[in-house]
Structure formats: structure tokens, C-alpha cells
Amino acid sequence: MSAPSPQKIPVHDVDATKKRIHPRFTDGFYQRIRLISMYALLALFLILPWLKYDGRQAIWFDVPSQHYYIFGLTLFPQDFFFVAAFFIIAAFTLFMVTVYAGRVWCGYACPQTIWVHLFQHVEKWVIGDRNKRIKFDKEPNSGSKISKKLLIYLIWFLMSVLTATTFVSYVAGTSVMYSSWQSLGGIPFPDWPGWVWVSMFIFTFATYANAAYMREFMCIHICPYGRFQSVMFDKDTLIVSYDYNRGEPRGTRKKGTHPEHLGDCIDCTMCVQVCPTGIDIRDGLQVECIQCAACVDACNEVMDKVGYPRGLIRYTTERQLVEKEPSRYLRPRLFAYLLLLSVLVGVMAYALIGRVPLQIDVRGDRNQLSSMNAEGQIVNSYIIKVTNKTQQSHEYMLSIDAPEGLSLVTRFASLPLDAGESYDMPVSVVADPKVLDQKEIPVVFNVDSKDGNYHASRTNVFTSQGQK
């Protein structure tokens, strides 16, 4: 039955029925790009925890000590706005890419896609290609089937443990994850803190559940990205589409022939067999489509075999496919995202470049801010919190900028701090009441490194209120 030429690309609803999908693995231009991107990101994920910088793990989100190291940058909880800014930039970058090229993130870089692909390859390695896996599912249980299943489950479990171990290494550190051992009955056993064991269980379970069972269900029903993509698409967004006008009516035919009453689609269903989410791209744009372009490569291979032009299924736009007009790749929407991203990146870069890795916080003594000593001087007590945000030890000097007659009294001439260390230092500012001409006087507290490289200051108030 021939399908009418659509006025627009149809969008189909989602079928929530859980079906086991066994995609056929194909090769082609887009699949090679996809494999390179996926395995490069996977290798980056596995290697990064092992990189060292200045004698420390290069990327280490040390949650217990609340120190977050990213190569030469050390962040603290009070620097959270840098993390927030990074995620905002990442989100808007994703939005811009989606407007231009659709769900390429899902097909080429999403961790869910990468791990599902790996888990499915394990099935292929143990059982065989798509037809063998489908037949294997339908076979009654036997010793051979159970042993193969157990082998698959074991490999999946080991892959999940490796994923969890690597993930937790970014927080606990590789030294804790791989160097701390204890002996239980003569058997080496990891000597991990309790929170590490809990984290390992959570991430192992999540990896196994997502990649072994949930698979495309995560992309279709749980991940919000697939839901709001239709809001971001327009007529010029690149999407994987089937050319109805060229392909319909579809039907089988002898090799080397092209019946006049049939289109180019030979109804081989290869596009369906290779789809990791099990959809038929010929039914139109669907929320399940992750734009991996497996159907594009499979269809192009079939077209080459039957002697038809490539591109029956291809990356195209609704404007090109339906309206037969050139796509408008450079459009105001993209420029708006680009301008916004430029501003955000510029502001974040300026903040990072101008960031002084030294912080001072000043607060008045809660017990008694203003008092009078035995010499009749007014004394204000403060707590100065100095934080060394560098990755080296430094010695700091404390001073004040205040009107004549006010002086600083400290316990120490200098304050040595290790990398990332904070210290609450009690200090006092004293003044002769005869020189005070107002009840509140601004005082600037300064902290300078002894080598002169870092300086920070904070203003507080010296008060004589409550004194006669």
C-alpha cells in the first residue's frame, strides 16, 4: 500500500510497551564517526582519574574535605557559582547544537548510548549477530543457554564495577580506591570508607540497570531531553528523515530492476533492524529517534547493492525535504544562542582569570564585639578566616587600613597555611576613645602573602557603641 506524500514530517506517539531490542550492527560513514566519538569519550572517562598535576590527582572532587581540584584550579564550596556557570554554559551549548543538528548528543556522545552499545556488543560476542540473539531468546532454557547468560551477566557486572570504581575515583581519589587494602582471611580486600562502599553499590547498580535492562527506555521515557527536543526543532534543524516522495510506494523487486509503480524503498527493513531504539524511520520523526544515523548507513549500503542513488534516508531538514527549499543554516535563533554563549563564556573566563586564590572573611566576635581594656582603650574583637586557595603552602601577613589611632593586635606575626587550608584567627583592633570622632569607623582588613603574589581584603566596622 502506497503512502501519501506528507505535507509535513509526521511525529508519532510513544509506545510504552517494553520489547527486547536486538539491533543489527552496521558499518558506514556515520557509524565510524560515532564509534570514534564514543570510544574517545569512554577512554577520557577512564584515563582522567589517573592524570597527575603538581603531585596530586589532576581532577579530584574531594567532597570529604570540600576541596575540588581541576588541574591548577582549586575550588571551594563558596566557589559554587563557577560550577553553576559551567553547567549553564553546557546547557546552552546543548540547546544551540540541538537547534542546528538535532539529537546528535544522544546518538554520538551520551553516556547512556555508549554503555548500552558496549553491553549489546557483549551479547553479540557471546551469542552472535542479531538473528542468533533473537533465536537465543526464544529457545527453552538449557545448560548451554544458562552458561552463556551467566557469562554475559558476569561481564556486564564487571563492566559496571569498573564504571563505578572510575566514577567514585573522581571523588574519593585513586589512592583510596586502588591503594588501600586489608586482609580478610588471607584474601586482599579493599579498605574503603563506608560512604565509598555505598557509592560503589549505587553506581554499580545504576550502570547495570540502565545499560543491561532499561536501555532505550531511559532515552524514551525518563530522559527529559527527548521530550523537549520538539520545542527546540524548527524547519531548518538537521534530522534523520526518510524521503517519502522518493521511496514510496515501497516494495520488493528483482535485483537490477526498478518497476515504474514502485519507489526506491525495497522494503528490506534494514533501517528497522539496525535501529537501537527499534523504530521504523519510515513512519516519520519520532521521539525515540536518537539520530545515531545507523539507518542512514544501512540504507546507503542497500542502495549501493541495488544500484540506486544514496540518500533515501539521510540527514536533512523539513524545509529541504517537504518544502523543497534550501535550508537556512545561519538564522537569528542560532546567532542568539551564540551571542548568549559568548557572553557567558566571557564572563566566566574573566572571573576565573581575575580570581585571587586567597580569601578573607571577617566577622565580629559574637560574645562581645566592643569592650574596654585595663588601659582605658576600646577593643573590638574579630575572627578573621583566611583560606589559602592555592595548591602550594604560603605564609600570610595581616594588616589594617584605618584612621590614625586604630591599631591591630594579633597573636601571630604571620600565618603559615598549607595548600587548601583555612584558619580562623582571632584578632583585636584597639583605639584611644579620645581620638574617636564617630561611633562607627570603617576598617579594611588586608591579607598578603609573604612573597607578595596574593592580596585580599575585607571591610568591617570598628564600633564604640556601648562605651562611655
Side-chain angles (χ1 to χ4, degrees):
M1 181 177 179
S2 63
S5 177
Q7 296 301 314
K8 63 181 297 185
I9 296 177
V11 180
H12 285 247
D13 294 330
V14 177
D15 179 11
T17 305
K18 176 65 177 173
K19 301 174 183 177
R20 188 69 168 173
I21 295 175
H22 293 291
R24 182 188 298 273
F25 294 98
T26 187
D27 188 24
F29 174 75
Y30 293 109
Q31 297 316 294
R32 287 191 286 271
I33 295 176
R34 186 168 174 245
L35 289 178
I36 291 172
S37 67
M38 289 197 299
Y39 289 135
L41 291 172
L42 178 62
L44 193 65
F45 168 74
L46 295 173
I47 293 172
L48 276 180
W50 297 98
L51 297 182
K52 299 293 183 180
Y53 184 90
D54 199 18
R56 183 187 289 112
Q57 187 171 320
I59 299 181
W60 183 17
F61 306 105
D62 191 2
V63 174
S65 67
Q66 297 187 338
H67 294 168
Y68 311 102
Y69 305 100
I70 304 175
F71 291 92
L73 180 67
T74 304
L75 298 177
F76 292 77
Q78 54 267 39
D79 296 317
F80 178 77
F81 61 91
F82 284 113
V83 180
F86 171 79
F87 282 109
I88 291 172
I89 291 172
F92 277 103
T93 302
L94 181 61
F95 297 159
M96 185 180 71
V97 171
T98 303
V99 170
Y100 180 79
R103 292 180 68 177
V104 291
W105 162 262
C106 296
Y108 293 80
C110 177
Q112 178 73 12
T113 301
I114 296 172
W115 263 259
V116 169
H117 180 82
L118 292 174
F119 275 48
Q120 288 175 334
H121 261 288
V122 172
E123 289 181 310
K124 179 185 177 183
W125 175 67
V126 175
I127 301 173
D129 59 19
R130 178 177 183 269
N131 293 333
K132 290 182 179 179
R133 297 198 301 272
I134 294 174
K135 182 180 178 181
F136 181 83
D137 281 352
K138 296 178 180 179
E139 291 177 354
N141 284 329
S142 62
S144 175
K145 182 173 182 177
I146 292 174
S147 62
K148 287 183 178 181
K149 278 189 172 183
L150 290 176
L151 177 59
I152 291 172
Y153 297 156
L154 175 61
I155 297 173
W156 283 352
F157 175 73
L158 294 176
M159 292 170 66
S160 301
V161 170
L162 175 61
T163 302
T165 306
T166 304
F167 205 104
V168 179
S169 295
Y170 284 94
V171 180
T174 53
S175 59
V176 171
M177 296 301 297
Y178 303 101
S179 302
S180 300
W181 297 88
Q182 58 182 332
S183 179
L184 293 179
I187 301 175
F189 202 71
D191 186 17
W192 292 335
W195 68 270
V196 171
W197 284 108
V198 173
S199 301
M200 283 292 298
F201 173 79
I202 292 174
F203 286 114
T204 301
F205 175 79
T207 303
Y208 193 97
N210 286 339
Y213 177 72
M214 294 296 293
R215 295 190 175 182
E216 72 282 352
F217 248 48
M218 177 65 67
C219 307
I220 299 170
H221 298 289
I222 300 176
C223 178
Y225 180 45
R227 293 295 176 178
F228 65 70
Q229 62 162 326
S230 58
V231 179
M232 309 186 69
F233 282 12
D234 57 29
K235 291 184 178 182
D236 296 295
T237 300
L238 277 174
I239 52 176
V240 174
S241 295
Y242 166 71
D243 192 336
Y244 278 86
N245 294 325
R246 176 184 158 187
E248 301 296 332
R250 68 188 73 152
T252 58
R253 76 285 312 272
K254 293 182 179 179
K255 185 177 181 180
T257 65
H258 195 316
E260 295 183 358
H261 66 284
L262 294 178
D264 282 1
C265 179
I266 66 172
D267 204 17
C268 63
T269 71
M270 285 298 296
C271 57
V272 181
Q273 295 180 38
V274 299
C275 181
T277 59
I279 66 171
D280 190 340
I281 193 65
R282 297 173 297 178
D283 290 339
L285 180 64
Q286 298 155 71
V287 71
E288 298 99 320
C289 179
I290 61 172
Q291 291 196 204
C292 63
C295 55
V296 177
D297 286 326
C299 185
N300 284 340
E301 184 179 353
V302 172
M303 291 295 103
D304 290 342
K305 290 180 179 179
V306 298
Y308 297 166
R310 289 185 163 206
L312 178 60
I313 301 175
R314 62 185 184 272
Y315 274 112
T316 185
T317 67
E318 185 176 336
R319 193 181 299 277
Q320 281 183 333
L321 187 63
V322 178
E323 300 179 3
K324 308 300 181 184
E325 296 179 1
S327 296
R328 302 169 186 172
Y329 296 115
L330 301 178
R331 49 199 191 273
R333 198 173 176 186
L334 279 177
F335 283 113
Y337 277 118
L338 188 59
L339 177 61
L340 181 59
L341 275 174
S342 300
V343 172
L344 290 173
V345 172
V347 170
M348 185 174 178
Y350 177 80
L352 282 173
I353 293 173
R355 176 179 179 266
V356 178
L358 170 63
Q359 182 169 331
I360 174 176
D361 292 308
V362 182
R363 64 181 186 272
D365 193 322
R366 294 180 179 180
N367 296 323
Q368 187 176 18
L369 174 59
S370 180
S371 62
M372 185 170 288
N373 61 17
E375 288 79 21
Q377 295 176 313
I378 297 177
V379 181
N380 278 202
S381 300
Y382 306 88
I383 302 296
I384 309 296
K385 182 177 183 179
V386 181
T387 304
N388 176 16
K389 292 185 175 183
T390 71
Q391 296 189 10
Q392 298 84 30
S393 299
H394 286 283
E395 192 170 353
Y396 297 100
M397 312 293 293
L398 187 63
S399 62
I400 61 171
D401 292 330
E404 188 176 353
L406 277 72
S407 59
L408 177 69
V409 178
T410 65
R411 294 183 181 180
F412 314 108
S414 62
L415 180 63
L417 292 179
D418 292 331
E421 185 181 3
S422 295
Y423 186 79
D424 289 342
M425 183 176 182
V427 302
S428 299
V429 176
V430 299
D432 190 333
K434 296 178 181 179
V435 303
L436 300 178
D437 57 358
Q438 52 186 341
K439 291 185 177 180
E440 291 188 350
I441 301 173
V443 178
V444 179
F445 292 85
N446 301 305
V447 175
D448 295 273
S449 60
K450 205 166 185 179
D451 57 16
N453 291 330
Y454 305 111
H455 167 81
S457 62
R458 183 77 65 179
T459 302
N460 208 294
V461 174
F462 180 90
T463 180
S464 60
Q465 293 182 10
Q467 305 299 325
K468 296 182 179 180

